[in-house]
Amino acid sequence: MNIDMIRAAAGRIAGKARRTPLLSSPFLDEIAGRRVFVKAECLQHTGSFKFRGAYAAISAIPEATRAAGILAYSSGNHAQGVALAAKMHGVSSVIVMPSDAPALKLANTAAYGAEVVTYDRDKESREEIGSALAEDRGLTLVRPYDEPEVIAGQGTTGLEIAEDAAALGISRADVMVCCGGGGLTSGIALALEAEAPGLRVRPAEPEGFDDVTRSLEAHEVQTNDRLSGSICDAIVTPAPGKLTFPILDRLAGPGLVVSDEEALRAVALAFQRLKIVVEPGGAVALAAALFRPDAFEGDAVFAVTTGGNIDAATFARALETLT
Amino acid sequence: MNIDMIRAAAGRIAGKARRTPLLSSPFLDEIAGRRVFVKAECLQHTGSFKFRGAYAAISAIPEATRAAGILAYSSGNHAQGVALAAKMHGVSSVIVMPSDAPALKLANTAAYGAEVVTYDRDKESREEIGSALAEDRGLTLVRPYDEPEVIAGQGTTGLEIAEDAAALGISRADVMVCCGGGGLTSGIALALEAEAPGLRVRPAEPEGFDDVTRSLEAHEVQTNDRLSGSICDAIVTPAPGKLTFPILDRLAGPGLVVSDEEALRAVALAFQRLKIVVEPGGAVALAAALFRPDAFEGDAVFAVTTGGNIDAATFARALETLT
């Protein structure tokens, strides 16, 4: 992994991925006690940053191989990113999803053009199903984060942050990133190291699922005790990745952990002050920027709102925190 | 009014107003039966396009005059746009608002740095109060739409649409714009006439408040019977403006009228598919693009979502249309 791969990915996704805006509001600045700049990746195609990595990875596969189709395992944002990116390349995709995934996610993934293959979480192995499909049809697997070209694609977000920070005249600040397996966080870390070395990445995680924060403290991979029960489901993974953790260990600042309630308040404030729709897991970085003022130095902080795929009922629940 | 004024305004607001993104979703394309491109002005500073016109107008006032301060009448988005634009120029602003305006709007306007002067709608004249203040303090009035530099500022939205349409290879399409007094609609019309003559502006209005649509049919100014009772309050004005109507009469295509229910559905679909927060009055153009397929030719349509200043209760009501 290096900055050249990220620059190459930026060239491939140019005009395909959206250059998402950097948003701010004096009301949020007041809450945080400093200027807060929000990189709104929830406005990316398919509603999350995952499209960047999916497109970058698929575009890096040799054409003859790619033509046979793409494979992914995911019940969430990665599924939709891969489905749309494959469609834009004119190739088929198969997404292996648990049969008990929310109907809307299954339907959305199919609507982006993927063939959805469901499996029984309790009785079947998605890896076995996927391997059989891959072998039969010659599909290429695109992993959600522990995949160099995926990390490169997510890192393009960091190139844009570096560019926008320079335009604002900001050379020193922390950049909070909602962190699951660490693909986005490590990609941004590498981009900033090269393009804006005074900006430092820091992971944000939900309470009880703080594997990356603990791993950074211990300088070795720590795991989560459980994988369900968080409202921030989009960013819950077993542990930081084999490729992503060494990058984070070298470049990231300390992690910050926020409660579900704080994530919901950040969702509501993003609604009220920025006019964007953010899912709880995509709001933990903003929550940390707003509600942990003592964790930062300097007069500016960046936060990446990584996704906006939230159902109406959960969003309504978040809005209740405004009253 | 001419294109040179719009280009000059674009130069003055560069780096001050946001260049808002053009968003789309295959799900919306399917509903509309053609490609739908949404210019997300709800992501503009203060949550509406009004900031563009306010900044353009204030920046056009000679510095010595401007230093004495700015005056505006508004209970809504124009108030916030003027307040922030004045603050960014380092000058004071006085906004005359009805004392029964929503507390949140009064508070927000004050928070953007304005001095809010309230008046009793039944007993006092805002014009008399404003004139007295203007004379006492030498304030300069910035009108919400019937003001050349305001129209020029709003027209910068059209320059961006023209640029994005060219990048997409689209040379013929209708551009639906949520229309109140017509400042934005006429500004965009002038910009497109010069920069993308195959793109045609058309106003969108709420049912029962369709003064512009009727005025365009009659080729003379028609008025609304009433000014309250619409959920789309942000775009309800008595009649098209004296400056804006001749421009619209020359350049705009037929208006389209949508119901409150359709506006709320468009708010909900913008939440679900674009991850943006749009107020009902800011969603009528998108509603027309989605729900009036027979009113368009060609395979693409643009819609400007003009504002996102909606309270949580109304937003929750809109989300109920999804189920």
Side-chain angles (χ1 to χ4, degrees), chain B residues 3-13:
Chain B
I3 185 66
D4 294 334
M5 289 175 67
I6 299 176
R7 291 187 183 126
R12 295 199 306 279
I13 71 171

Side-chain angles (χ1 to χ4, degrees), chain B:
Chain B
M1 280 308 312
N2 58 52
I3 185 66
D4 294 334
M5 289 175 67
I6 299 176
R7 291 187 183 126
R12 295 199 306 279
I13 71 171
K16 306 298 180 181
R18 289 193 185 117
R19 194 195 195 293
T20 51
L22 191 71
L23 304 176
S24 61
S25 160
F27 296 95
L28 299 187
D29 297 352
E30 197 180 327
I31 294 170
R34 53 174 56 81
R35 289 181 297 163
V36 179
F37 296 98
V38 173
K39 178 67 169 168
E41 273 299 293
C42 46
L43 301 177
Q44 191 51 263
H45 290 296
T46 71
S48 90
F49 74 95
K50 290 284 188 182
F51 175 79
R52 292 182 190 254
Y55 194 97
I58 292 171
S59 61
I61 301 168
E63 202 174 332
T65 310
R66 186 167 67 210
I70 308 298
L71 172 70
Y73 312 111
S74 167
S75 59
N77 290 332
H78 180 59
Q80 296 183 48
V82 168
L84 181 61
K87 188 181 183 183
M88 288 168 74
H89 281 89
V91 303
S92 63
S93 63
V94 178
I95 314 287
V96 182
M97 299 178 79
S99 50
D100 61 349
L104 191 66
K105 286 194 174 169
L106 292 165
N108 282 354
T109 305
Y112 280 119
E115 177 186 345
V116 175
V117 173
T118 58
Y119 70 100
D120 183 330
R121 257 192 241 249
D122 297 326
K123 297 181 187 161
E124 296 177 284
S125 149
R126 67 179 194 178
E127 282 74 15
E128 275 176 26
I129 292 172
S131 297
L133 281 166
E135 200 167 316
D136 275 7
R137 306 201 203 167
L139 306 176
T140 304
L141 175 65
V142 176
R143 291 181 185 82
Y145 51 86
D146 242 358
E147 177 97 41
E149 292 295 354
V150 169
I151 297 172
Q154 319 303 30
T156 61
T157 316
L159 298 181
E160 296 173 13
I161 292 171
E163 201 174 286
D164 290 349
L168 289 163
I170 298 172
S171 57
R172 297 201 75 80
D174 281 351
V175 178
M176 297 305 307
V177 184
C178 308
C179 191
L184 178 64
T185 316
S186 62
I188 292 177
L190 289 170
L192 295 180
E193 180 189 29
E195 300 285 345
L199 301 190
R200 177 179 67 161
V201 150
R202 296 176 65 180
E205 293 178 293
E207 239 169 47
F209 303 87
D210 57 347
D211 52 308
V212 179
T213 298
R214 286 184 287 108
S215 299
L216 288 174
E217 282 169 8
H219 295 291
E220 63 177 19
V221 168
Q222 309 287 308
T223 57
N224 286 318
D225 295 338
R226 56 197 171 105
L227 292 177
S228 61
S230 173
I231 195 171
C232 303
D233 58 304
I235 60 164
V236 170
T237 48
K242 289 187 176 62
L243 293 178
T244 60
F245 182 67
I247 299 168
L248 296 178
D249 193 35
R250 182 167 70 81
L251 294 172
L256 289 174
V257 178
V258 304
S259 67
D260 280 5
E261 178 69 18
E262 289 172 319
L264 287 173
R265 280 179 59 205
V267 169
L269 288 165
F271 156 84
Q272 186 180 43
R273 301 306 183 186
L274 302 175
K275 315 304 175 188
I276 55 175
V277 175
V278 187
E279 61 193 85
V284 295
L286 177 59
L290 293 175
F291 307 134
R292 294 287 181 278
D294 297 341
F296 303 101
E297 294 176 359
D299 77 335
V301 61
F302 290 78
V304 183
T305 51
T306 46
N309 292 315
I310 180 173
D311 61 88
T314 308
F315 201 74
R317 185 178 150 199
L319 295 189
E320 284 168 18
T321 67
L322 287 175
T323 53

Side-chain angles (χ1 to χ4, degrees), chain A:
Chain A
M1 281 307 313
N2 58 53
I3 184 66
D4 294 333
M5 288 175 66
I6 299 176
R7 290 187 184 127
R12 294 199 306 280
I13 72 172
K16 307 296 181 181
R18 288 191 186 118
R19 195 194 195 294
T20 52
L22 191 71
L23 304 176
S24 60
S25 160
F27 295 96
L28 299 187
D29 296 354
E30 197 180 328
I31 293 170
R34 54 174 55 81
R35 290 181 298 163
V36 179
F37 297 99
V38 173
K39 178 68 169 168
E41 272 300 293
C42 47
L43 301 176
Q44 190 52 262
H45 290 296
T46 71
S48 90
F49 74 95
K50 291 283 188 183
F51 175 80
R52 293 181 189 256
Y55 194 97
I58 292 172
S59 61
I61 300 168
E63 201 174 333
T65 310
R66 185 167 68 210
I70 308 298
L71 172 70
Y73 312 111
S74 168
S75 59
N77 290 333
H78 180 58
Q80 297 182 47
V82 168
L84 182 61
K87 188 182 183 183
M88 289 168 73
H89 280 87
V91 302
S92 63
S93 63
V94 178
I95 315 287
V96 182
M97 300 178 78
S99 50
D100 61 348
L104 191 67
K105 286 194 174 171
L106 292 166
N108 283 353
T109 305
Y112 280 121
E115 178 186 345
V116 175
V117 173
T118 58
Y119 70 100
D120 183 330
R121 256 192 242 248
D122 297 325
K123 296 180 188 162
E124 296 176 285
S125 151
R126 65 178 195 180
E127 282 75 14
E128 276 176 27
I129 292 171
S131 296
L133 281 166
E135 202 168 314
D136 277 5
R137 306 201 204 168
L139 306 176
T140 304
L141 175 65
V142 176
R143 292 182 185 80
Y145 50 87
D146 241 0
E147 176 98 40
E149 292 295 355
V150 169
I151 296 172
Q154 319 304 30
T156 61
T157 316
L159 298 180
E160 296 172 13
I161 292 171
E163 199 174 286
D164 289 348
L168 288 163
I170 298 172
S171 57
R172 296 201 77 79
D174 281 352
V175 178
M176 297 305 306
V177 184
C178 308
C179 191
L184 178 63
T185 316
S186 62
I188 292 176
L190 290 169
L192 296 180
E193 180 188 30
E195 301 284 346
L199 302 190
R200 178 179 67 159
V201 150
R202 297 175 65 179
E205 293 178 292
E207 239 168 47
F209 304 87
D210 58 346
D211 52 307
V212 178
T213 298
R214 286 183 286 109
S215 299
L216 289 174
E217 282 170 6
H219 295 292
E220 61 177 20
V221 169
Q222 308 287 308
T223 58
N224 285 318
D225 295 337
R226 56 196 172 106
L227 293 177
S228 61
S230 173
I231 196 171
C232 301
D233 58 304
I235 62 163
V236 170
T237 48
K242 288 185 178 64
L243 293 178
T244 59
F245 182 66
I247 300 168
L248 296 177
D249 193 37
R250 182 168 69 83
L251 294 172
L256 289 174
V257 178
V258 305
S259 67
D260 281 4
E261 177 69 19
E262 289 172 320
L264 288 173
R265 279 180 57 206
V267 169
L269 288 164
F271 156 85
Q272 187 180 43
R273 300 307 184 187
L274 302 176
K275 314 306 176 189
I276 55 175
V277 175
V278 187
E279 62 194 83
V284 294
L286 177 59
L290 293 175
F291 307 134
R292 294 285 181 280
D294 297 342
F296 303 100
E297 293 177 359
D299 78 335
V301 61
F302 291 77
V304 184
T305 50
T306 46
N309 292 314
I310 180 173
D311 60 88
T314 308
F315 201 75
R317 184 177 152 199
L319 295 189
E320 284 168 16
T321 67
L322 287 175
T323 51

